[in-house]
């Protein structure tokens, strides 16, 4: 990058908030998606919205790619620089501006860490339901940009169900406002909807208005053990078709169960071919009624039902689920977590297909995920240094997505497209949809400076 | 630097690859890193530092020496390791990498001289203690009991615990025999207890004697080596760990080694074992854990002041509950701090980056103020120094103490009855 441009950035945010040496910029060459790291030319950490506006203008005028970064926990390469450019850090915008107890909403900045927000809301006796697995680290800005989900998504929905308003800056650095505080609001285009899942390609989001809900009064957690993976999957579709919506309905396959137990010793049944972790919540009477029905369905498919007797037991069950990814991560150096999502009735077929693909390509694949909403996380354990195996991994991923789309599913339930899945996008949405997205993107960002190269844009 | 030397450094860093590649770059370390919490940038956090080492041996950064400053800017609290989902041994990686990168830039001469005295000339260090004691007395003003604020130079920002005129080891060195002896142990005091928190050492020995345990104390304390390790002098670290281990093993009738500094225990028993491949013949244990697990002492709660507890980063965390129970058994009005983040001291980190280091405990002093705790217990001299300084800066008169001091006071009171 030219010296004069570096000086211009430094002039805007101060030398202490601007880094252009390779030993600093290289620390922004990655996120949680394994890809060959490429450093940006410059990294800036603005201190106020005016500085953000100036940075955008400078990038736009000089066609510098601008990659906005929160915590960098993406699993699809959404915050990776592809061809240099400027990484803008939003981590400093971490204020919770308001938690409104009368109207049940909160106003927050984009850099607020999800867990910190959820804790602050809980202290006020309310609930912010989206709970992505990365919530201890990931920021709300990233959650909106990727439309993150989480364990509670089955009943409570994903980030999109809670985004009421958004404040962002466009590619020229102008302030734009969409949505607001009323629950009903149909003024003009649905701009919050447009910004959801936009992966930083349409604007720089700085503030959100998020809906809050009362927490459930009561809940019950079940651990169901199966000797047959497919029967466990069939249970999932049967529960949903019985018109019961648990808060959470998670599945872990045998490989994942064994791995979690090996590292965390939670007392899981290691010989089980699958386990389901189910939680029903709501009014006490409703919980009582629903959990009995759910337990009966589980038993009808040969499931052995255990009910958590207290909060400690419940916590250890959810710990098992939370530890799934980390346990798998301890087995092999490179971990590729996929996000294939199918309609719930197709979960058994999808589980079978993943098993077959693992055998076909002789790969270690642990599968767990949000079975209740059809969002599975087949996790491939490999070593990026093993060139031959990486070729098989690539073929296996191609095949996983092929079957996902055949089952009328989608490439991503909650991790986004980024770089990782750009090549498959057309096969899901079609040529004309891509063309429409391109017209939209180039209309709003003619110089394509906002997170270029992502989603094949 | 010659090309050959550069190649050698890259080759040595590449040997760390099997450890580094375990990092899946999930970023969980951000949620527990005290420096990231303050700076909110990647070069501060473990994931960023690991990526930089990787970038050197993969050829994306050519001048290896340029990343040293980022590796050095670390409290070494090991929280990233404790909470890493993939089990990445960040502390070992950073210490080894710093030691390799040290070849690109030698330690400044004055730092070398200080290290040499601390590590290799413990007797000389002990002899200078009275001088330092006098120097501190005349060159500083007393802030509160045992805490002084130096008047000149770089240290004038800080509130420091005084250096005692007589090191702990010169009073207690040798075998301190219990009246009705049922067991013998070695007590390893470490530098801070030897020269500053001599009262803690006294409390440890006297309490152990009270429970029938005779205590060996070295005539001259030899540093655990952690300061050398954190400055990238791994060979020197290895040497002092070995010397300490030899001394422990030379005492054949002790059943345990007791410590009152979690960092010393980490340096000699945990990281020490990794780097030297050796362990002492008998188990090493924190004093509180020893009292509860080995001696099974029962205490009747007495203290009335509203008190709290900060658990040090290097404490053996599987024993956290023992420590909490112990505190609960000493004082009636007790509640551990909710904020159990790192205090931000980090020994050499505090010395090199005082301004950054002193910002880290601010959220902790805020909680102490809000909850009006009168006494703060912590079983680590480093944490005690840092938190004493922070509390004075926050205008709080909360007292800082080691749990063993409270027990010693109770025993003395009982005996006086």
């Amino acid at each position: 990058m030219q010296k004069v441009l570096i000086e211009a950035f430094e002039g805007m945010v101060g030398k202490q908030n601007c880094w252009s040496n390779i030993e600093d910029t290289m620390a922004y060459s990655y996120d949680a998606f394994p890809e060959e790291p490429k450093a940006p030319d410059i990294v800036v950490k603005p201190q106020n919205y005016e500085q953000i506006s100036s940075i955008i203008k400078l990038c736009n005028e000089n066609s510098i790619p601008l990659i906005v970064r929160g915590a960098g926990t993406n699993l699809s390469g959404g915050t990776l620089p592809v061809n240099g450019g400027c990484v803008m850090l939003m981590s400093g915008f971490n204020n919770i501006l308001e938690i409104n107890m009368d109207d049940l909403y909160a106003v927050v900045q984009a850099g607020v860490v999800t867990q910190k927000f959820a804790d602050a809301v809980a202290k006020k006796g309310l609930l912010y339901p989206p709970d992505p697995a990365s919530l201890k680290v990931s920021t709300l800005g990233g959650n909106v940009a990727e439309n993150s989900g989480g364990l509670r998504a089955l009943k409570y929905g994903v980030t999109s169900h809670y985004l009421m308003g958004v404040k962002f800056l466009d590619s020229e650095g102008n302030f734009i406002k969409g949505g607001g505080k009323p629950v009903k609001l149909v003024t003009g285009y649905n701009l919050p909807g447009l910004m959801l899942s936009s992966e930083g390609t349409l604007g720089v989001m700085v503030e959100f208005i998020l809906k809050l809900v009362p927490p459930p009064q009561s809940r019950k957690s079940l651990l169901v053990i199966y000797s047959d993976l497919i029967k466990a999957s069939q249970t999932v579709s049967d529960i949903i078709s019985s018109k019961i919506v648990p808060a959470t309905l998670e599945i872990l396959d045998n490989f994942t169960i064994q791995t979690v137990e090996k590292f965390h010793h939670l007392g899981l049944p290691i010989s089980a071919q699958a386990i389901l972790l189910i939680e029903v919540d709501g009014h006490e009477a409703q919980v009582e009624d629903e959990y009995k029905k759910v337990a009966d369905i589980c038993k009808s498919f040969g499931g052995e039902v255990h009910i958590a007797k207290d909060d400690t037991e419940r916590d250890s069950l959810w710990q098992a689920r939370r530890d799934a990814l980390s346990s798998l991560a301890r087995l092999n150096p490179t971990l590729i977590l996929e996000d294939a999502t199918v309609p719930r009735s197709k979960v058994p077929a999808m589980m079978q297909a993943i098993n077959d693909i693992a055998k076909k390509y002789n790969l270690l694949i642990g599968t767990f995920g949000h079975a209740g909403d059809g969002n599975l996380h087949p996790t491939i354990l490999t070593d990026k240094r093993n060139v031959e195996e990486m070729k098989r991994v690539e073929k296996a991923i191609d095949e996983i997505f092929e079957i996902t789309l055949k089952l009328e599913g989608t490439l991503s339930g909650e991790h986004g497209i980024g770089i990782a899945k750009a090549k498959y996008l057309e096969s899901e949405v079609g040529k004309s949809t891509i063309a429409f997205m391109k017209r939209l993107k180039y209309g709003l960002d003619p110089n394509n400076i906002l997170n270029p190269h992502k989603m094949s844009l | 630097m010659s090309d050959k030397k550069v190649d050698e450094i890259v080759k040595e860093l590449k040997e760390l690859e099997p450890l580094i590649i375990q990092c899946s770059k999930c970023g969980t370390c951000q949620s527990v890193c005290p420096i990231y919490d303050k700076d909110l940038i990647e070069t501060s956090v473990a994931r960023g530092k690991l990526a930089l080492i990787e970038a050197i041996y993969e050829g994306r950064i050519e001048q290896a020496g340029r990343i040293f400053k980022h590796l050095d800017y670390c409290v070494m609290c090991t929280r990233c390791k404790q909470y890493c989902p993939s089990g990445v041994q960040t502390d070992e990686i950073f210490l080894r990498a710093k030691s390799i990168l040290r070849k690109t830039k030698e330690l400044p001469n004055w730092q070398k001289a200080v290290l040499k005295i601390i590590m290799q000339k413990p007797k000389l260090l002990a002899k200078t203690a009275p001088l330092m004691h006098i120097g501190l007395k005349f060159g500083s003003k007393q802030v509160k009991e045992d805490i002084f604020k130096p008047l000149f130079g770089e240290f004038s920002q800080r509130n420091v615990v005084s250096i005692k005129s007589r090191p702990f080891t010169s009073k207690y060195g040798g075998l301190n025999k219990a009246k009705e002896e049922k067991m013998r142990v070695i007590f390893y005091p470490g530098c801070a207890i030897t020269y500053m928190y001599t009262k803690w050492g006294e409390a440890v020995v006297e309490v152990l004697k009270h429970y029938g345990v005779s205590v060996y104390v070295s005539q001259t304390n030899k540093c655990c080596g952690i300061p050398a390790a954190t400055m990238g002098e791994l060979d020197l670290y290895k040497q002092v760990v070995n010397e300490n281990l030899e001394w422990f093993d030379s005492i054949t009738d002790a059943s345990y080694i007791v410590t009152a500094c979690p960092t010393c225990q980490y340096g000699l028993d945990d990281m020490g074992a990794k780097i030297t491949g050796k362990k002492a013949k008998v188990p090493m244990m924190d004093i509180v854990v020893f009292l509860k697990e080995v001696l099974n002492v029962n205490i009747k709660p007495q203290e009335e002041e509203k008190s709290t507890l900060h658990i040090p980063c290097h404490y053996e965390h599987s024993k956290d509950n023992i420590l909490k129970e112990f505190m609960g058994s000493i004082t009636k009005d007790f509640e551990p701090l909710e904020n159990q983040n790192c205090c931000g001291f980090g020994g050499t980190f505090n010395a090199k980056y005082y301004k950054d280091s002193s910002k880290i405990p601010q959220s902790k002093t805020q909680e102490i103020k809000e909850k009006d705790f009168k006494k703060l217990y912590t079983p680590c001299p480093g944490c005690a120094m840092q938190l004493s300084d922070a509390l004075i800066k926050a205008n709080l008169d909360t007292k800082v103490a080691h749990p063993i001091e409270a027990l010693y006071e109770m025993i003395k009171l009982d005996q006086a009855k």
Side-chain angles (χ1 to χ4, degrees):
Chain A
M1 183 173 274
Q2 291 168 318
K3 211 178 159 209
V4 59
L5 283 173
I6 294 174
E7 281 167 2
F9 279 113
E10 285 175 350
M12 285 170 188
V13 295
K15 274 192 174 179
Q16 72 282 11
N17 293 310
C18 193
W19 299 270
S20 55
N21 291 327
I22 190 74
E23 68 271 22
D24 295 299
T25 56
M26 194 54 82
Y28 297 93
S29 61
Y30 56 80
D31 58 19
F33 173 66
E35 177 72 29
E36 184 68 27
K38 291 192 187 86
D41 297 309
I42 195 156
V43 178
V44 290
K45 187 166 178 280
Q47 306 295 301
N48 54 52
Y49 298 164
E50 286 67 37
Q51 288 180 2
I52 295 179
S53 177
S54 313
I55 291 163
I56 299 173
K57 280 180 195 151
L58 184 68
C59 288
N60 199 23
E61 282 157 14
N62 295 280
S63 294
I64 300 166
L66 178 65
I67 303 116
V68 177
R69 185 180 172 104
T73 55
N74 301 63
L75 283 151
S76 56
T79 46
L80 293 179
V82 174
N83 189 17
C86 170
V87 163
M88 180 158 72
L89 307 182
M90 298 300 283
S91 48
F93 297 97
N94 54 2
N95 297 308
I96 298 168
L97 303 171
E98 184 188 357
I99 296 178
N100 191 302
M101 311 278 287
D102 297 326
D103 291 324
L104 305 191
Y105 68 80
V107 184
V108 295
Q109 288 187 307
V112 172
V113 171
T114 315
Q115 177 85 66
K116 288 191 176 163
F117 175 57
D119 289 347
V121 167
K123 265 191 181 166
K124 304 261 184 190
L126 290 168
L127 175 71
Y128 176 68
D131 57 346
S134 58
L135 85 168
K136 275 187 194 163
V137 188
S138 62
T139 60
L140 291 167
N143 290 179
V144 173
E146 302 287 335
N147 198 2
S148 304
L151 267 69
R152 282 192 286 247
L154 173 57
K155 180 171 177 178
Y156 291 94
V158 297
T159 306
S160 62
H161 297 97
Y162 297 87
L163 184 68
M164 298 166 73
V166 61
K167 207 183 264 182
F168 64 97
L169 290 91
D170 68 9
S171 67
E172 290 175 351
N174 304 309
F175 281 89
I176 316 292
K177 184 188 155 202
K181 292 171 182 174
V183 176
K184 286 178 160 179
L185 191 157
V186 289
T187 316
Y189 288 131
N190 178 359
L191 295 183
L194 182 68
M195 297 313 282
L196 279 155
S197 324
S198 64
E199 303 190 15
T201 59
L202 298 178
V204 176
M205 296 185 276
V206 290
E207 258 176 46
F208 308 111
I209 300 166
L210 297 171
K211 184 164 81 177
L212 306 174
V213 296
Q217 294 170 3
S218 170
R219 60 193 180 192
K220 226 166 194 133
S221 301
L222 292 84
L223 162 74
V224 194
I225 301 165
Y226 291 86
S227 54
D228 183 332
L229 175 69
I230 301 307
K231 284 204 169 142
S233 320
Q234 284 166 342
T235 308
V236 174
S237 40
D238 224 59
I239 291 173
I240 302 297
S241 63
S242 310
K243 301 179 186 62
I244 298 170
V245 185
T248 312
L249 209 178
E250 299 285 308
I251 194 165
L252 273 73
D253 71 358
N254 172 264
F255 183 63
T256 311
I257 297 166
Q258 288 202 34
T259 315
V260 172
E261 194 50 31
K262 181 176 170 190
F263 292 110
H264 298 284
H265 312 293
L266 296 164
L268 294 178
I270 48 169
S271 58
Q273 286 309 298
I275 54 173
L276 292 181
L277 296 170
I278 308 171
E279 184 162 292
V280 287
D281 71 4
H283 186 274
E284 208 165 326
Q286 178 202 351
V287 168
E288 215 38 44
D289 182 49
E290 280 190 348
Y291 104 83
K292 278 181 192 146
K293 284 181 185 157
V294 167
D296 284 346
I297 296 171
C298 294
K299 283 177 200 159
S300 74
F301 283 98
E304 186 188 318
V305 178
H306 299 265
I307 297 154
K309 63 175 189 295
D310 52 27
D311 276 357
T312 318
E313 238 182 66
R314 171 189 183 268
D315 289 347
S316 91
L317 284 184
W318 294 117
Q319 197 55 47
R321 168 60 184 87
R322 276 193 289 269
D323 288 341
L325 178 61
S326 59
S327 309
L328 292 170
R330 285 176 187 238
L331 286 184
N332 277 28
T334 311
L335 181 139
I336 300 172
L337 177 78
E338 284 309 345
D339 190 23
T341 305
V342 291
R344 278 94 59 113
S345 62
K346 309 280 174 59
V347 168
M350 191 65 207
M351 288 299 274
Q352 185 65 56
I354 294 167
N355 252 0
D356 296 345
I357 291 168
K359 272 186 204 136
K360 180 176 170 187
Y361 292 102
N362 188 26
L363 291 170
L364 282 177
I365 305 185
T367 300
F368 59 94
H370 321 297
D373 49 34
N375 185 191
L376 300 174
H377 292 313
T379 302
I380 307 176
L381 308 172
T382 178
D383 184 336
K384 66 178 182 182
R385 295 168 296 184
N386 184 339
V387 181
E388 184 274 326
E389 187 169 88
M390 286 307 283
K391 280 184 189 152
R392 279 186 280 131
V393 168
E394 205 170 311
K395 281 187 186 158
I397 295 172
D398 287 348
E399 219 161 288
I400 287 174
F401 286 120
E402 202 178 301
I403 187 85
T404 305
L405 296 179
K406 212 179 268 174
L407 293 170
E408 296 176 282
T410 179
L411 301 168
S412 175
E414 56 186 4
H415 297 162
I417 300 300
I419 295 171
K421 285 175 264 188
K423 70 170 176 173
Y424 307 111
L425 191 60
E426 193 180 307
S427 54
E428 178 174 339
V429 299
K431 262 198 173 91
S432 53
T433 309
I434 300 256
F436 181 82
M437 283 167 61
K438 278 189 174 159
R439 284 202 299 277
L440 187 64
K441 160 78 168 161
Y442 286 94
L444 293 172
D445 178 19
N447 296 325
N448 195 18
I449 58 147
L450 298 170
N451 209 12
H453 312 288
K454 310 297 153 62
M455 299 199 283
S456 72
L457 295 170
Chain B
M1 209 172 18
S2 70
D3 287 351
K4 204 177 154 197
K5 203 165 179 188
V6 173
D7 288 350
E8 195 186 305
I9 287 168
V10 171
K11 201 179 137 211
E12 282 184 44
L13 285 175
K14 176 86 178 165
E15 284 166 16
L16 298 174
E17 188 182 33
L19 293 174
I20 290 174
I21 203 169
Q22 293 292 334
C23 170
S24 63
K25 305 217 167 57
C26 68
T28 302
C29 42
Q30 286 179 15
S31 65
V32 291
C33 173
I35 312 188
Y36 182 83
D37 190 45
K38 181 177 75 63
D39 298 342
L40 303 167
I41 55 174
E42 283 278 334
T43 45
S44 295
V45 78
R47 179 173 71 163
K49 296 178 203 292
L50 294 171
L52 292 179
I53 303 172
E54 200 173 34
I56 300 278
Y57 66 67
E58 287 186 350
R60 278 175 278 112
I61 296 179
E62 283 174 3
Q63 287 167 277
R66 295 176 74 161
I67 69 162
F68 188 88
K69 63 176 181 199
H70 291 314
L71 294 187
D72 197 42
Y73 185 60
C74 168
V75 192
M76 284 298 290
C77 66
T78 69
R79 299 175 84 84
C80 46
K81 180 177 86 168
Q82 289 162 33
Y83 290 90
C84 177
S86 311
V88 180
Q89 301 294 302
T90 48
D91 54 347
E92 186 183 349
I93 295 169
F94 296 152
L95 289 179
R96 287 188 188 275
K98 261 166 69 162
S99 157
I100 297 164
L101 290 166
R102 199 21 106 202
K103 291 173 189 165
T104 65
K105 196 183 169 198
E106 283 218 9
L107 205 59
N109 280 337
W110 72 268
Q111 287 185 28
K112 255 189 185 169
V114 171
L115 260 192
K116 203 172 170 149
I117 293 171
I118 296 176
M119 300 292 141
Q120 291 170 309
K121 310 266 183 206
K123 280 184 187 160
L124 177 65
L125 187 66
K127 275 184 192 159
T128 56
L131 283 175
M132 288 193 271
H133 170 74
I134 294 166
L136 195 62
K137 234 176 171 174
F138 289 105
S140 63
K141 94 173 181 221
Q142 189 162 9
V143 183
K144 60 198 255 189
E145 194 200 345
D146 204 28
I147 304 233
F148 296 82
K149 196 174 168 76
L151 297 173
F152 313 102
E154 211 191 308
F155 281 85
S156 60
Q157 303 281 314
R158 312 165 197 230
N159 301 288
V160 297
V161 179
S162 74
I163 292 169
K164 306 297 174 291
S165 59
R166 194 174 174 200
F168 163 74
T169 42
S170 74
K171 192 175 171 196
Y172 282 91
L175 178 64
N176 300 273
K177 234 174 154 312
K179 265 186 201 153
E180 286 162 39
E181 180 184 284
K182 56 179 179 187
M183 188 193 295
R184 287 184 176 190
V185 300
I186 299 166
F187 171 51
Y188 176 80
C191 302
I193 291 177
T194 301
Y195 299 110
M196 296 158 100
Y197 290 99
T198 49
K199 269 188 183 171
W200 293 17
E202 180 187 329
V204 169
V205 173
E206 297 302 337
V207 168
L208 286 174
K209 275 167 66 186
H210 174 80
Y211 289 110
V213 178
S214 297
V215 189
Y216 283 106
V217 175
S218 169
Q219 299 289 352
T220 312
N221 175 71
K222 193 173 249 305
C223 176
C224 69
I226 281 292
T230 57
M231 287 162 99
E233 300 288 329
L234 218 49
D235 287 340
L236 186 55
Y237 169 56
K238 206 168 163 175
Q239 184 194 325
V240 290
V241 172
N242 274 325
E243 285 166 7
N244 272 309
L245 292 181
E246 272 167 32
W247 183 73
F248 295 147
D249 288 349
S250 72
I251 294 168
T252 50
D253 57 353
S255 312
Y256 293 89
I257 302 158
V258 174
T259 65
C261 171
T263 303
C264 291
Q265 185 170 334
Y266 167 76
L268 292 170
D269 198 42
D270 181 354
M271 183 51 64
K274 268 189 191 161
I275 300 294
T276 61
K278 279 185 258 174
K279 260 189 184 261
K281 281 182 192 151
V282 294
M284 187 175 276
M285 222 177 246
D286 170 69
I287 177 68
V288 172
V289 178
F290 180 78
L291 289 173
K292 291 303 278 184
E293 281 199 339
V294 179
L295 299 183
N296 199 18
V297 297
N298 280 315
I299 308 154
K300 230 165 83 193
Q302 281 182 11
E303 178 130 18
E304 295 294 350
E305 278 180 309
K306 191 175 179 189
S307 66
T308 189
L309 168 74
H310 159 75
I311 302 173
C313 296
H314 292 153
Y315 206 76
E316 199 182 339
H317 292 293
S318 60
K319 312 289 184 191
D320 282 359
N321 279 338
I322 291 181
L323 182 62
K324 286 183 201 164
E325 278 166 28
F326 182 84
M327 286 315 309
S329 70
I330 280 187
T331 144
K332 284 177 186 163
D333 195 359
F334 167 73
E335 181 193 329
L337 281 179
E338 200 181 320
N339 177 341
Q340 286 294 349
N341 295 346
C342 172
C343 73
F345 181 65
T348 53
F349 180 80
N350 179 277
K352 282 182 281 189
Y353 308 98
Y354 178 70
K355 221 171 127 191
D356 297 302
S357 171
S358 63
K359 280 183 195 154
I360 296 171
Q362 283 172 4
S363 56
K364 222 177 263 286
T365 51
Q366 185 62 30
E367 185 187 342
I368 292 168
K369 190 177 177 180
E370 278 163 17
K371 296 184 178 165
D372 197 25
F373 289 118
K374 302 291 181 209
K375 212 157 187 184
L376 168 66
Y377 286 100
T378 186
C380 168
C383 300
M385 279 186 232
Q386 173 83 340
L387 296 171
S388 300
D389 183 31
L391 287 165
I392 290 170
K393 284 192 166 153
N395 288 322
L396 296 172
D397 58 3
T398 311
K399 281 181 234 139
V400 181
H402 188 289
I404 199 75
E405 287 186 285
L407 179 57
Y408 184 37
E409 287 306 314
M410 281 162 60
I411 290 170
K412 279 199 286 192
L413 274 176
D414 263 3
Q415 284 170 343
K417 275 177 198 168

